[in-house]
Amino acid sequence: MVYANGTASGGQNGNIKQAREDIKTDYSRWRLLGDRGRQTWHYLETDEEVEKWPQTIFDRYMLGLSTNLPSLPTPKTGIESVKNALEFFSHLQLPPGNWACDYGGPMFLLPGIVIAAYVTQTSMPEPHRIEMRNYLYARQNPNDGGWGLHIEGDSTVFGTAMNYVAMRILGASAEDPRMVRARAKLHQLGGATYAPHWAKFWLSVLGACEWEAVNPVPPELWLLPDWVPFAPWRWWIHIRQVFLPMSYMYSKRWTCPSTPLVLELRDELYTEPYDSIDFAWHRNSISPMDNYHPKSWILRTLNSLLVNIWNPYLRTDSIANKAEAWVEKLIQMEDLNTDYANLGPVNQAMNLVACYIRDGEGSYSVKRHRERMHDFFWVKDEGMLMNGTNGVQTWDTSFLVQAVMEADMADDPRWKPMLLKALEFLDDQQMRENCIDQDICYRQQRKGAWAFSTREQGYAVSDCTSEAMKAVILLQRVEGFPELVSDERLRDAIDTLLTMQNASGGFASYEPIRGSEYLEMLNAAEVFGRIMIEYDYPECSTAVVTALSLFHRHYPDYRAEEIKRAVEGALKYIRRAQRTDGSWYGSWGICFTYAGMFALQSLASVGEYYKNSDNARRGCEFLLSEQMDDGGWGESYRSCETGIYTHHERSQVVNTAWACIGLMEARYPNPEPIKKALKMIVKRQQPNGEWLQEAIEGVFNKSW
């Protein structure tokens, strides 16, 4: 196998060879396969394969290669700018009808799947290994050589230890100067003994840490009756599905057989000889750089009781076996209800290891997990990363359709083929049935809903369902477009949305709030905040309000009173969630500009504008108070961490667009600030119609 610079390939996972550090694959050989929303990258080894499968404009664009797209006329108006953007986007639509993109950013995702592949003896294609190394090198902190929690974050033990391990597994030499710098930074931070819980877990699975350093994750929690206030079914779905396989491996204290590489890592990750470390003593050791959410005294006490009393004296084999068997069953349900795509890349990697332990090499579950891991890989000009989900297919497609509708261009024959394919995609991606054993595995109703990514992934999300339904309703009422999604199926979507409202009136993401916020005192992840339960979100609540309102206009007789009460309740929450300075805190984007856009849209949907609503007026005034000198808005991810609006060093196109949408929805009477902002947006548009990626646009759970 020969790559772009003519260098031969190295070895496979179990037999690490030192490859040249700066090798790159031939980017003209990469292809993205889109199959009903499933997206997998493939590297073509032979010239014959290359000839049979030509590279698309989309492939070349994502890989940073020349697309040969023509320069478009310089826009003189906003509408001309929109037309240029649509011309650009029309070239990037995938055959199933959706749009796709790099959905990376978190730096703890790729190491998990690399370690999982290593310990399960899963072969990683050499082109993937090369480009994973390239991406991690590209995202190494240029100042100190470490890695952070996400691509713009400061170096942490979590990021540095995990990515260092991943690099070594992928074939990087410990003596490469970049690895030497990373190791020095890790040691400066205290070494891997000061890693947070998730890192110590993965290192123990690998055999580069001892299980005594890992705080308890008892599977017996899943045996608790549902009425218990801290029973796992009450947790947020992401933490629930991560701690499920984690508890299984913790219970078994499973570690992969030792290899020469693992023995080398034991020497490289710590500041003292491995055999001299008292791992039990370091169970609560954590670097200040990682300790975003310190363990509460309650959690520390519970951990101590579990380690010192429950595990050695009270936990019988029968209890352990019963707990492990039930956890195995819940893992199996998660796999079957998602066709092994799983909720996200973290639990997908962990479920692979759990199935490998339970079912063994050669089993269907392991085989299918190995196939599915490729759904999360993404190649770009920097290399191969791991997306935060298996894609953004439904989400991005829904918004692009709505953008065309807002611009009043849906009946333009130039865009009809593009929009028709998008409608066909949304039709295909609606979930038509509930989960198997829905109540047993604690899953939310999903019939009629849409996921963030694909139907196969199978998790209903309140705002994704709302935005997809709005796109479908709007487009199907344009003359010349077919009615692919029937009235009955739209009613199914409404039925599911109405089950997702919280007692507060607001809407969360995947399911209604099931537990008390006091459960955050049991947050063991340390590096994330607001992770234990669902929360009300202005963004999700607005999406549902606008979807319910649109549906009611077209279907006034279906569950009219319930829809009215749901909208009124959500609006009361949105008004209540507004801060004294007029802002709303956003959780799914950065941050105050994002939430402000949605909240003002929500108020506008019921006739509350700047001139007649104190909430809308204060929301507009807050946004205007943060406008930058060039007319734009630029908000840093630090806003998410601190809860205080923090300016980015430069205005950002995306933040500016969000703020403008909010002001326009609120009918802000002075057009000059909006005009100034829009001029900045148009000025930054590229000749081919695109806007370049600037700073990151979303940080979740306050810190990633």
Side-chain angles (χ1 to χ4, degrees):
M1 187 185 305
V2 177
Y3 300 110
N5 59 2
T7 304
S9 66
Q12 291 297 316
N13 284 14
N15 182 23
I16 300 298
K17 296 181 181 178
Q18 302 304 339
R20 271 183 53 178
E21 297 295 333
D22 295 319
I23 186 174
K24 285 181 68 72
T25 61
D26 181 352
Y27 274 21
S28 70
R29 293 178 177 271
W30 284 102
R31 306 287 188 273
L32 181 76
L33 177 63
D35 180 13
R36 295 189 67 184
R38 186 186 182 201
Q39 299 164 171
T40 51
W41 284 93
H42 301 264
Y43 190 78
L44 308 184
E45 302 286 0
T46 68
D47 293 341
E48 183 181 5
E49 290 175 310
V50 171
E51 185 176 351
K52 288 182 178 179
W53 189 355
Q55 203 166 41
T56 65
I57 291 175
F58 178 90
D59 296 331
R60 295 196 293 273
Y61 175 73
M62 289 296 163
L63 294 164
L65 303 176
S66 174
T67 61
N68 297 317
L69 291 176
S71 294
L72 302 171
T74 301
K76 296 182 176 60
T77 66
I79 288 296
E80 290 176 357
S81 176
V82 171
K83 290 178 180 178
N84 284 358
L86 289 178
E87 180 66 30
F88 171 74
F89 275 118
S90 69
H91 293 291
L92 298 187
Q93 189 175 28
L94 295 177
N98 67 291
W99 282 265
C101 68
D102 151 24
Y103 187 57
M107 293 302 297
F108 58 89
L109 302 177
L110 187 57
I113 201 66
V114 170
I115 293 174
Y118 186 83
V119 303
T120 60
Q121 302 182 65
T122 299
S123 177
M124 193 77 72
E126 188 65 14
H128 289 56
R129 292 159 58 83
I130 290 170
E131 293 305 335
M132 287 177 184
R133 289 202 306 269
N134 288 337
Y135 179 75
L136 293 181
Y137 277 139
R139 287 302 178 176
Q140 192 173 17
N141 189 316
N143 298 318
D144 58 30
W147 288 273
L149 193 61
H150 56 78
I151 59 175
E152 293 187 14
D154 297 325
S155 296
T156 62
V157 176
F158 190 19
T160 305
M162 291 289 285
N163 285 290
Y164 183 92
V165 168
M167 289 293 286
R168 294 287 281 120
I169 290 174
L170 293 168
S173 168
E175 302 310 313
D176 183 285
R178 292 164 292 188
M179 297 294 286
V180 172
R181 289 190 71 214
R183 194 161 61 248
K185 181 60 181 178
L186 177 59
H187 290 181
Q188 178 192 348
L189 292 169
T193 48
Y194 288 86
H197 185 250
W198 285 20
K200 286 174 178 171
F201 162 80
W202 274 122
L203 293 178
S204 296
V205 170
L206 179 63
C209 181
E210 299 299 316
W211 280 106
E212 286 75 18
V214 181
N215 268 309
V217 194
E220 298 89 281
L221 287 171
W222 270 264
L223 298 179
L224 292 172
D226 287 351
W227 56 263
V228 174
F230 53 87
W233 77 278
R234 300 181 183 276
W235 304 351
W236 185 43
I237 186 63
H238 277 279
I239 201 70
R240 199 160 79 226
Q241 294 295 8
V242 166
F243 273 54
L244 186 67
M246 188 182 281
S247 72
Y248 181 72
M249 286 176 268
Y250 172 83
S251 181
K252 289 188 172 295
R253 304 295 199 276
W254 188 87
T255 297
C256 82
S258 183
T259 66
L261 175 62
V262 171
L263 296 178
E264 291 174 13
L265 285 170
R266 289 181 176 185
D267 288 335
E268 296 164 19
L269 294 173
Y270 300 95
T271 59
E272 55 190 304
Y274 187 85
D275 291 338
S276 70
I277 299 172
D278 184 348
F279 283 96
W281 190 86
H282 282 290
R283 190 165 45 79
N284 290 311
S285 297
I286 183 170
S287 165
M289 292 299 296
D290 294 76
N291 204 16
Y292 179 80
H293 187 99
K295 291 184 285 292
S296 68
W297 68 268
I298 291 179
L299 181 59
R300 293 171 74 97
T301 300
L302 289 173
N303 284 340
S304 180
L305 292 172
L306 288 167
V307 168
N308 298 307
I309 297 176
W310 174 255
N311 286 346
Y313 302 115
L314 302 179
R315 188 180 193 249
T316 64
D317 288 343
S318 62
I319 292 175
N321 292 337
K322 183 178 181 181
E324 289 175 6
W326 180 231
V327 166
E328 285 181 354
K329 180 65 174 176
L330 291 173
I331 291 172
Q332 184 182 49
M333 291 179 182
E334 160 72 354
D335 288 343
L336 293 177
N337 277 314
T338 62
D339 190 16
Y340 295 83
N342 298 129
L343 175 61
V346 178
N347 79 309
Q348 205 276 341
M350 292 182 181
N351 280 16
L352 165 61
V353 181
C355 289
Y356 182 81
I357 297 168
R358 182 192 67 200
D359 301 332
E361 177 69 32
S363 63
Y364 175 80
S365 63
V366 171
K367 176 179 178 291
R368 190 59 175 152
H369 270 301
R370 286 170 172 165
E371 294 169 349
R372 280 297 194 181
M373 73 165 61
H374 291 269
D375 295 16
F376 297 95
F377 296 147
W378 193 264
V379 189
K380 57 181 296 187
D381 56 346
E382 294 176 314
M384 178 173 278
L385 55 92
M386 174 158 276
N387 276 336
T389 62
N390 62 331
V392 297
Q393 297 88 319
T394 294
W395 183 251
D396 280 12
T397 302
S398 301
F399 276 116
L400 198 140
V401 170
Q402 291 184 53
V404 179
M405 296 297 302
E406 286 288 334
D408 197 24
M409 294 183 182
D411 56 358
D412 189 322
R414 285 178 295 177
W415 316 125
K416 184 173 181 180
M418 177 182 78
L419 293 173
L420 181 58
K421 287 173 62 180
L423 179 60
E424 290 170 349
F425 177 78
L426 293 175
D427 165 45
D428 184 56
Q429 293 303 312
Q430 188 184 26
M431 289 175 272
R432 310 291 184 88
E433 68 288 314
N434 288 318
C435 292
I436 301 170
D437 296 325
Q438 172 180 297
D439 295 333
I440 296 175
C441 57
Y442 310 115
R443 286 288 299 272
Q444 178 67 20
Q445 176 178 319
R446 70 179 187 184
K447 183 180 180 182
W450 280 267
F452 182 69
S453 55
T454 64
R455 181 180 65 181
E456 283 187 324
Q457 190 261 3
Y459 275 88
V461 188
S462 63
D463 54 353
C464 301
T465 299
S466 299
E467 303 298 352
M469 186 174 69
K470 285 192 291 183
V472 167
I473 292 175
L474 291 170
L475 202 50
Q476 289 189 163
R477 272 146 187 82
V478 176
E479 185 176 354
F481 284 87
E483 185 179 296
L484 300 181
V485 181
S486 67
D487 292 351
E488 180 182 359
R489 286 167 57 193
L490 291 173
R491 290 194 291 268
D492 288 340
I494 292 296
D495 292 345
T496 289
L497 282 176
L498 290 175
T499 69
M500 302 179 83
Q501 190 165 28
N502 295 314
S504 63
F507 285 81
S509 52
Y510 294 91
E511 53 202 18
I513 297 170
R514 297 177 174 183
S516 165
E517 193 169 352
Y518 286 115
L519 281 173
E520 294 295 349
M521 299 182 75
L522 302 182
N523 180 353
E526 300 149 329
V527 293
F528 312 119
R530 286 166 58 97
I531 199 173
M532 288 301 296
I533 62 168
E534 277 277 15
Y535 287 90
D536 291 313
Y537 301 112
E539 310 99 294
C540 296
S541 300
T542 291
V544 178
V545 164
T546 53
L548 292 177
S549 299
L550 178 65
F551 176 87
H552 181 66
R553 284 201 296 272
H554 292 283
Y555 303 91
D557 297 327
Y558 187 73
R559 302 187 71 172
E561 286 302 315
E562 293 161 278
I563 288 174
K564 180 182 178 181
R565 287 196 299 271
V567 169
E568 289 175 349
L571 287 167
K572 286 180 181 178
Y573 155 71
I574 288 169
R575 297 186 192 103
R576 193 168 59 248
Q578 189 175 27
R579 297 184 174 191
T580 55
D581 63 1
S583 69
W584 286 270
Y585 178 88
S587 296
W588 300 106
I590 298 175
C591 170
F592 294 97
T593 47
Y594 186 67
M597 170 188 68
F598 278 104
L600 290 170
Q601 182 185 25
S602 200
L603 296 172
S605 72
V606 293
E608 294 188 27
Y609 306 110
Y610 182 89
K611 68 178 181 180
N612 64 0
S613 166
D614 179 65
N615 297 97
R617 185 163 47 252
R618 291 191 296 118
C620 290
E621 289 170 354
F622 171 81
L623 289 175
L624 291 166
S625 73
E626 303 297 347
Q627 190 171 21
M628 302 176 79
D629 291 340
D630 68 351
W633 279 261
E635 190 175 1
S636 165
Y637 73 88
R638 298 288 186 188
S639 293
C640 302
E641 292 182 342
T642 64
I644 300 170
Y645 191 101
T646 306
H647 283 278
H648 197 278
E649 59 189 20
R650 180 174 184 259
S651 61
Q652 303 289 305
V653 167
V654 170
N655 294 136
T656 303
W658 290 339
C660 286
I661 291 171
L663 292 170
M664 289 187 288
E665 288 281 359
R667 299 182 183 178
Y668 181 68
N670 181 2
E672 293 309 312
I674 301 172
K675 287 182 178 180
K676 188 176 181 181
L678 293 177
K679 285 180 181 178
M680 184 278 282
I681 292 176
V682 172
K683 185 178 179 181
R684 291 197 194 170
Q685 190 174 26
Q686 301 301 298
N688 64 357
E690 72 169 313
W691 283 272
L692 300 178
Q693 174 71 47
E694 296 178 329
I696 58 174
E697 297 142 10
V699 170
F700 308 149
N701 303 111
K702 289 195 170 276
S703 60
W704 66 278

